[in-house]
Amino acid sequence: MTGLIHDSVDSLAALIPDGAKIAVPADYTGVAMELTRAMIRRGVRDLYMVCLPVTGLQGDMLIGAGAVKTNETSAVTLGEFGGAPRFQAGIGDGSLTIKDATCPAIHAGIQAAQKGIPYMPLRGMIGSDVLANRDDWKVAQNPFSEEEDPIVLLPAIKPDFALIHAKKADRHGNVFIGIRREVMALAGASRQTLVTVEEIVDGNLLRDDTTATGTLPALYVGGVAEARQGAWPLAFWEEYPTDEAHMASYVAAARSPEGFQSYVDQYVTGGARAAAAE
Amino acid sequence: MTDFPSPDEIRTEELLITIIARLVEGCRLVSCGASSPIPGGGCLLARQQSGGAMQVNVLGSRLNNLMTNGGVELFDWAAQGRLDAFFLGGGQIDGQANINLVGVGDYPQAKIRWPGSFGSAYLYFLVPRVILFREEHTRRVFVDKVDFISTPGTSDPEVYRTGGPYALVSPLCQMGFDKVRKKFHLVSVHPGHTVEEVLDNTGFAIDVPDHVPETVLPDRATLNIIRQQISLEIAETYPRFAAKVFPEAVNAA
C-alpha cells in the first residue's frame, strides 16, 4: 500500500467494520462488485446499507450473504432480469429491516449531509404509506408561506463509507467519475469513499480541466484499489456490457438459500470469477 | 388517404408505443423511468413526430440522456416545473389512482414483495401528465384498494400538487382520470377487445360513456418509423426487449 492506493481489493474491504453505514449507487453510476465479493469473503455483518437511490445485484448479494441488517432504499431490482430474490426472501422472513424511501428523498438526505445541514425539505410524499412508515421523517409548515403549506423534511444521511467503481484513478487518489455527478454528493456526504478502478494511471487528474471537471478529489477518498472488470457481471459505463448469461444464472441460483450459497462458493470464495470475467 | 395496416399486422407493443406518443404530444420535456421500454419507445416516437420541438430523456441511456448533474437532476426538473410527462406502473393500481409498487399483504413483511416505490412518491405530485402504464390488465393489478400507497392519486387541497394521473394505458384500453370525482373513465378500447372484457378484468368501478370508440391504430408510416427507427433507438437501453419485439430490425442492424 502506497498512500491511498491499496494492493488488493480485499485490503480495501478490510477497512469496513461490522455495523458500518455504507452507501452504494445505482447500476448506472458504477457498482464496485469485486469489492462486494471481497466484503462477503471477509464476512462483514450488520451493515446499514443506503442505496442512492436504488440497488440491484450488489444489494441482493450482500443481503443474501447476511451482511445487511437494515436497508434504506427506493427499490431493489435486477431490472430486465426480474425481482431480487434474496431481498424478497429477507423481507419475507423478517430478517431484513427495510426503510422504504423514494428516490429524491434519498438524494435530499445525502445532499443535506453534503452541505453539512441537518435536513432538507422536499415536495411530494404527503399521503403516501412511504411517509407514514418513516418515523424519522417529519412534515412541517413552510415557514415562508402565509398559507397552509405542509412540506416533508428529510434528515441528513451520513454514511461511514461510500463504495463505488470508476474508470481510473491517479496515484494521488484522485478518481475520474466523468458525468456521474451523484458521486460528488455521495462522497461529500460520506466520511470516506472507497473506490475500485479499472486502472491506476500516472499523472494528476486535477491538473487538466478536461479530466478535473469529472474528478472526485482525493480528499474525499479513503482508499483505492485496481480491479479490472471490477463491476462484472454488471455493465460499466460504456466500458463493457452486462454479462447477461451470468445474470440469468445468478437469478436461477439465488431463488433458494442453498442455490445462493453454491453461487457464493463458486464465484465469491472460489476462483470462478476471474475465469468468467476474462 | 392515410394507409392503415390491419389490426393483426400490428403487435400490441407497437400499438402501446403509438398511444403513448399521442398522450405526450405537445410536451417540451418528457422522461421515462426505470424498466420502461414501451414508454421510452413512445417518447422517442413523439419526439420524431414533433420535428425537434420535444426533448426526451431515457433513463439509463447514453444517446438520449439530458442530465449532466447526476441522477437527482430529473427530480429537480420536476420540482422546477420543467418536466411535462412521466410514466408510472404499479403492482397494484386502484380506482382512486393510488399506486402500489411495494407489495401484497401487510407491510413490511409482505407476502409478495416488489422492488419498491422508486421516484413515484414525488414525481406523481409534480409532473402534470403522469401516464399510468401496465402490460397486464387483470383484477390482480387493477384492484379496488391498494395494499400499500406508494403514492396517492389525489391530495387534499392544502398539499402542493402540480401533477397527477393523466391517463391509464393497458393492452386492452385507454382510460382518463377525473381528479374531482376521483374516478377513471373509459376513453377507447383497442381493436379486438370489448368494453365487457375491460370491465371483467378491472377490479374497480369506472365510468363508461354511451359510445366507446375503438383505439385508432398507427398508420403505415408511423408503423414503419417504429419498426425501422424507434426499435433501434430503444435497443440501446433495452436490448432484450428490442430483440424480442423487433427481431427483424435488431438482426438487420
Side-chain angles (χ1 to χ4, degrees), chain B residues 141-204:
Chain B
V141 172
F142 298 118
V143 297
D144 184 47
K145 195 170 183 306
V146 294
D147 289 10
F148 182 97
I149 300 176
S150 284
T151 188
T154 58
S155 297
D156 292 336
E158 74 275 13
V159 175
Y160 183 90
R161 187 153 193 174
T162 54
Y166 179 72
L168 184 153
V169 178
S170 82
L172 300 185
C173 68
Q174 178 183 331
M175 295 187 207
F177 186 75
D178 185 322
K179 283 169 198 176
V180 177
R181 303 185 62 221
K182 301 185 181 182
K183 204 171 177 191
F184 285 100
H185 55 269
L186 204 49
V187 170
S188 71
V189 174
H190 307 335
H193 301 285
T194 63
V195 172
E196 289 65 37
E197 190 183 354
V198 170
L199 296 177
D200 284 349
N201 289 288
T202 305
F204 52 77

Side-chain angles (χ1 to χ4, degrees), chain B residues 10-230:
Chain B
I10 298 171
R11 300 180 183 106
T12 303
E13 291 88 348
E14 292 167 336
L15 176 61
L16 297 173
I17 285 171
T18 306
I19 296 167
I20 284 165
R22 287 180 194 137
L23 287 168
V24 300
E25 193 185 340
C27 291
R28 288 166 307 158
L29 175 62
V30 304
S31 181
C32 62
S35 308
S36 301
I38 290 174
C43 292
L44 292 166
L45 175 61
R47 180 178 68 182
Q48 205 278 342
Q49 294 170 332
S50 79
M54 184 185 295
Q55 299 215 53
V56 171
N57 186 67
V58 176
L59 212 64
S61 163
R62 176 88 223 189
L63 300 174
N64 292 296
N65 166 59
L66 304 174
M67 299 190 286
T68 58
N69 197 32
V72 75
E73 196 170 352
L74 171 75
F75 304 111
D76 292 344
W77 292 338
Q80 292 156 4
R82 290 180 205 275
L83 185 59
D84 300 312
F86 193 77
F87 304 86
L88 292 174
Q92 293 175 334
I93 297 171
D94 73 20
Q96 297 193 19
N98 298 311
I99 297 172
N100 175 6
L101 290 154
V102 162
V104 178
D106 292 336
Y107 183 84
Q109 225 169 314
K111 273 188 299 185
I112 299 169
R113 171 71 204 205
W114 297 314
S117 300
F118 291 95
S120 67
Y122 174 87
L123 293 169
Y124 211 22
F125 288 76
L126 299 171
V127 180
R129 294 190 199 178
V130 175
I131 295 157
L132 306 178
F133 174 72
R134 271 302 306 248
E135 280 184 88
E136 177 183 331
H137 192 136
T138 61
R139 281 175 176 262
R140 70 172 187 172
V141 172
F142 298 118
V143 297
D144 184 47
K145 195 170 183 306
V146 294
D147 289 10
F148 182 97
I149 300 176
S150 284
T151 188
T154 58
S155 297
D156 292 336
E158 74 275 13
V159 175
Y160 183 90
R161 187 153 193 174
T162 54
Y166 179 72
L168 184 153
V169 178
S170 82
L172 300 185
C173 68
Q174 178 183 331
M175 295 187 207
F177 186 75
D178 185 322
K179 283 169 198 176
V180 177
R181 303 185 62 221
K182 301 185 181 182
K183 204 171 177 191
F184 285 100
H185 55 269
L186 204 49
V187 170
S188 71
V189 174
H190 307 335
H193 301 285
T194 63
V195 172
E196 289 65 37
E197 190 183 354
V198 170
L199 296 177
D200 284 349
N201 289 288
T202 305
F204 52 77
I206 54 176
D207 287 335
V208 181
D210 293 340
H211 173 69
V212 179
E214 199 169 70
T215 308
V216 177
L217 295 174
D219 60 26
R220 180 77 62 192
T222 302
L223 195 58
N224 287 343
I225 292 166
I226 294 172
R227 288 181 179 174
Q228 290 160 18
Q229 181 187 331
I230 306 304

Side-chain angles (χ1 to χ4, degrees), chain A:
Chain A
M1 180 176 161
T2 317
L4 292 170
I5 311 300
H6 288 243
D7 297 329
S8 75
V9 177
D10 288 279
S11 147
L12 213 53
L15 297 175
I16 304 169
D18 289 356
K21 188 167 191 170
I22 62 164
V24 296
D27 287 3
Y28 52 75
T29 301
V31 177
M33 283 306 301
E34 188 51 44
L35 178 58
T36 302
R37 286 183 283 270
M39 289 163 68
I40 294 171
R41 277 195 291 276
R42 160 172 135 42
V44 67
R45 285 284 180 279
D46 295 328
L47 296 175
Y48 186 116
M49 178 170 69
V50 179
C51 307
L52 186 73
V54 300
T55 188
L57 180 68
Q58 178 179 38
D60 200 57
M61 283 180 63
L62 286 171
I63 292 165
V68 181
K69 187 177 184 185
T70 304
N71 185 197
E72 179 167 8
T73 189
S74 307
V76 183
T77 174
L78 302 179
E80 284 201 285
F81 299 91
R86 298 331 295 159
F87 163 72
Q88 290 166 339
I91 293 283
D93 66 20
S95 60
L96 178 70
T97 300
I98 180 76
K99 297 182 91 151
D100 269 287
T102 185
C103 301
I106 297 183
H107 282 292
I110 290 289
Q111 284 175 315
Q114 182 190 18
K115 293 183 189 303
I117 54 178
Y119 63 87
M120 187 76 87
L122 193 74
R123 288 300 185 191
M125 293 171 280
I126 294 169
S128 73
D129 286 335
V130 176
L131 175 63
N133 283 282
R134 291 297 300 257
D135 54 14
D136 52 338
W137 294 358
K138 295 191 187 308
V139 180
Q141 163 67 18
N142 167 10
F144 295 97
S145 175
E146 303 284 317
E147 281 148 32
E148 190 180 1
D149 182 17
I151 189 163
V152 180
L153 310 182
L154 289 320
I157 299 171
K158 295 188 253 188
D160 298 310
F161 300 92
L163 313 177
I164 61 155
H165 184 67
K167 187 168 174 178
K168 59 186 174 183
D170 63 26
R171 292 180 205 286
H172 309 284
N174 300 308
V175 179
F176 186 73
I177 57 160
I179 198 173
R180 291 144 199 94
R181 305 295 300 176
E182 59 273 9
V183 174
M184 296 303 299
L186 200 55
S190 303
R191 195 171 295 159
Q192 54 179 305
T193 298
L194 303 182
V195 186
T196 56
V197 291
E198 291 291 315
E199 60 172 336
I200 292 175
V201 297
D202 294 328
N204 186 329
L205 293 166
L206 293 177
R207 289 278 162 81
D208 181 341
D209 270 8
T210 53
T211 49
T213 47
T215 291
L216 177 70
L219 73 97
Y220 299 101
V221 175
V224 179
E226 192 171 86
R228 291 185 190 258
Q229 303 273 312
W232 176 85
L234 299 176
F236 175 61
W237 299 6
E238 280 68 56
E239 300 295 305
Y240 42 89
T242 305
D243 184 338
E244 299 206 350
H246 188 87
M247 286 298 293
S249 73
Y250 173 81
V251 172
R255 284 201 190 106
S256 71
E258 299 75 22
F260 177 78
Q261 189 54 49
S262 71
Y263 175 89
V264 168
D265 292 344
Q266 194 175 357
Y267 293 103
V268 178
T269 47
R273 173 257 180 286
E278 280 159 16

